Amino acid sequence: MKYLHLIWAALFRRKTRTFLTLVSIIAAFLLFGMLDAVRTSFDQAGKSANGAERLQTGSKLSFIQTLPSSLELPIGKVPGVKAVAYANWFGGAYQDPHNQIFSFAVSPNYIDLFPEVEVPAAQRKAFDETRTGVLVGEDLAAKYHWKVGDKLPLQSTIFPTHDGSKNWSFDIVGILHPKDKNAGGMFKQLILLHWKYFDDSTPYNRGSVGWYVSRVSDVNQADRVAKAIDAISANSDHETRTQTEQAATANWIKQLADIGLIVSSIMGAVFFTLMLLSGNTMMMAVRERTSELAVLKTIGFSSASVLGMVLAESVLLLLIGGVIGLGIATALIPAVAAGSGLGLPPVGAGNWVLGIVLMAVIGLVVGVIPAVRAMRLNIVDALAGR
């Protein structure tokens, strides 16, 4: 610690260069914090359902496989299940086939299982009574200037009507409003339509259900309830997997892509670039101070001390930028999770430990070459400018 003032002065000898390097390090570890939260959420998904207020039951084989509607009654009779609803993916597009909107065909009580979302009583009554009625998220309504009473033309990307057309027409009867910004974020970008109208209007559904949502009476018994629901269809041609909503979303994405490989590839590229950038900064910093390092050796600093100071300077640079970047990620993730509706876990102690280890390791790696050169520096040659 007695050399800290020398290390600090050397680090900020070229303030602009150091600042720009710090910005790059902050960005790298901000990205690390966000992506590590994604990785952690996928690793934790499905380990335990206890603590979940709702469970989602889908096909064990694939998320595109449907389930028979006859499962509603036995799922509702499972001890611990307070209520059960069901839904199908509709896949609606507005104005342009590429402009897809999350849209689900749902049972009449579907919205009741999500107390974090509210619909004015009059609008809810209109939805229950209007066969072609839909509820739209408040963000969608604001984006497209929709209002209650408007006709909503949607083009299904999957399901045609009985006449072969994929053009559907609905009536906007209500707006979905999350009760607070930390819950129900997904519903701001969602369209809900009647499952019965959907099932009657397309020849390709025939009474099947995409998934069931169950509300449990005791969150500490959610694991037991999930196993009891899956036991209903055990050894049948429609075996189910019941899990938390976050785990269901994670498994759906896993079937589309290898998230672990994607995250690892991105972080590998980021840290490789960071090592090149930081290494170049340290090489330039040591080269500029060649004569100063020679003077330190002249007045009694050992080669080991010079080696240690250069390595400490490199590690300190990474620690300052890394801690700031990871700190920003810690603050941002709750807001991102609330706004997107994704179940991202907060940056915890494990993430911080891994991050600090990476900061130290990268600092040592990028600092070792200039540090060894400084240690082997010949005093006479350095002072002579050779």
Side-chain angles (χ1 to χ4, degrees):
M1 294 298 291
K2 65 180 180 178
Y3 297 140
L4 181 59
H5 62 290
L6 292 175
I7 298 169
W8 188 266
L11 183 61
F12 288 94
R13 175 189 176 96
R14 292 283 185 267
K15 292 182 176 61
T16 301
R17 183 174 61 205
T18 300
F19 173 77
L20 293 176
T21 305
L22 281 174
V23 169
S24 300
I25 297 171
I26 290 170
F29 279 93
L30 169 60
L31 185 61
F32 162 78
M34 303 294 285
L35 289 178
D36 203 48
V38 173
R39 179 192 61 81
T40 301
S41 69
F42 276 88
D43 289 345
Q44 292 177 350
K47 289 187 177 180
S48 175
N50 283 343
E53 296 180 347
R54 288 185 297 267
L55 297 173
Q56 185 168 314
T57 301
S59 170
K60 187 177 182 180
L61 178 62
S62 170
F63 69 90
I64 64 173
Q65 295 293 120
T66 56
L67 299 172
S69 56
S70 58
L71 283 176
E72 180 188 10
L73 186 59
I75 290 176
K77 290 182 177 180
V78 170
V81 173
K82 185 187 297 185
V84 60
Y86 51 88
N88 275 72
W89 173 259
F90 177 70
Y94 181 63
Q95 294 181 333
D96 187 301
H98 298 96
N99 188 26
Q100 296 189 36
I101 298 174
F102 282 108
S103 43
F104 304 151
V106 301
S107 60
N109 66 331
Y110 188 82
I111 196 68
D112 297 331
L113 273 67
F114 297 84
E116 64 269 29
V117 181
E118 60 184 358
V119 180
Q123 295 180 8
R124 175 59 192 272
K125 185 174 183 294
F127 178 66
D128 292 339
E129 297 175 351
T130 307
R131 178 175 167 82
T132 58
V134 295
L135 300 173
V136 301
E138 61 180 17
D139 283 2
L140 286 176
K143 179 179 180 180
Y144 296 112
H145 307 290
W146 294 338
K147 61 183 183 297
V148 173
D150 286 351
K151 285 285 185 180
L152 177 60
L154 289 180
Q155 184 180 67
S156 176
T157 56
I158 304 173
F159 300 100
T161 59
H162 282 291
D163 62 7
S165 171
K166 289 190 177 182
N167 296 317
W168 296 64
S169 179
F170 301 98
D171 298 288
I172 298 177
V173 296
I175 308 296
L176 298 163
H177 300 281
K179 290 184 178 179
D180 62 74
K181 65 179 182 179
N182 295 320
M186 178 185 71
F187 282 86
K188 295 189 292 184
Q189 301 279 351
L190 197 63
I191 295 177
L192 300 181
L193 56 129
H194 285 289
W195 181 88
K196 180 63 175 172
Y197 174 66
F198 162 75
D199 189 55
D200 289 344
S201 301
T202 179
Y204 292 94
N205 196 56
R206 298 177 181 177
S208 60
V209 170
W211 65 90
Y212 290 91
V213 177
S214 306
R215 191 166 183 85
V216 298
S217 54
D218 183 357
V219 297
N220 296 316
Q221 296 296 316
D223 260 338
R224 179 192 61 76
V225 172
K227 292 176 182 177
I229 292 174
D230 290 338
I232 296 172
S233 302
N235 300 316
S236 71
D237 62 351
H238 54 269
E239 287 189 299
T240 61
R241 174 180 294 155
T242 301
Q243 54 200 331
T244 65
E245 293 165 310
Q246 291 80 9
T249 301
N251 285 327
W252 174 70
I253 296 175
K254 283 179 180 178
Q255 291 187 50
L256 298 176
D258 187 339
I259 300 301
L261 177 62
I262 292 172
V263 170
S264 299
S265 299
I266 294 173
M267 291 313 306
V270 169
F271 284 131
F272 178 74
T273 304
L274 180 63
M275 288 174 64
L276 293 178
L277 177 64
S278 302
N280 182 64
T281 298
M282 288 305 302
M283 292 289 287
M284 291 176 65
V286 171
R287 190 181 302 115
E288 290 174 354
R289 302 202 312 271
T290 300
S291 58
E292 296 175 14
L293 294 172
V295 170
L296 289 178
K297 285 190 171 185
T298 302
I299 62 178
F301 281 79
S302 65
S303 296
S305 297
V306 172
L307 173 72
M309 283 192 293
V310 174
L311 283 176
E313 180 183 340
S314 177
V315 172
L316 182 60
L317 178 66
L318 267 296
L319 284 173
I320 293 173
V323 168
I324 294 173
L326 206 48
I328 295 173
T330 303
L332 282 181
I333 283 177
V336 172
S340 63
L342 300 175
L344 295 179
V347 177
N351 305 99
W352 274 96
V353 169
L354 177 59
I356 290 174
V357 169
L358 284 171
M359 296 171 207
V361 169
I362 294 174
L364 289 172
V365 169
V366 302
V368 67
I369 294 178
V372 169
R373 288 186 177 180
M375 179 187 68
R376 295 176 176 175
L377 191 66
N378 183 284
I379 297 176
V380 174
D381 290 339
L383 293 176
R386 296 195 294 269

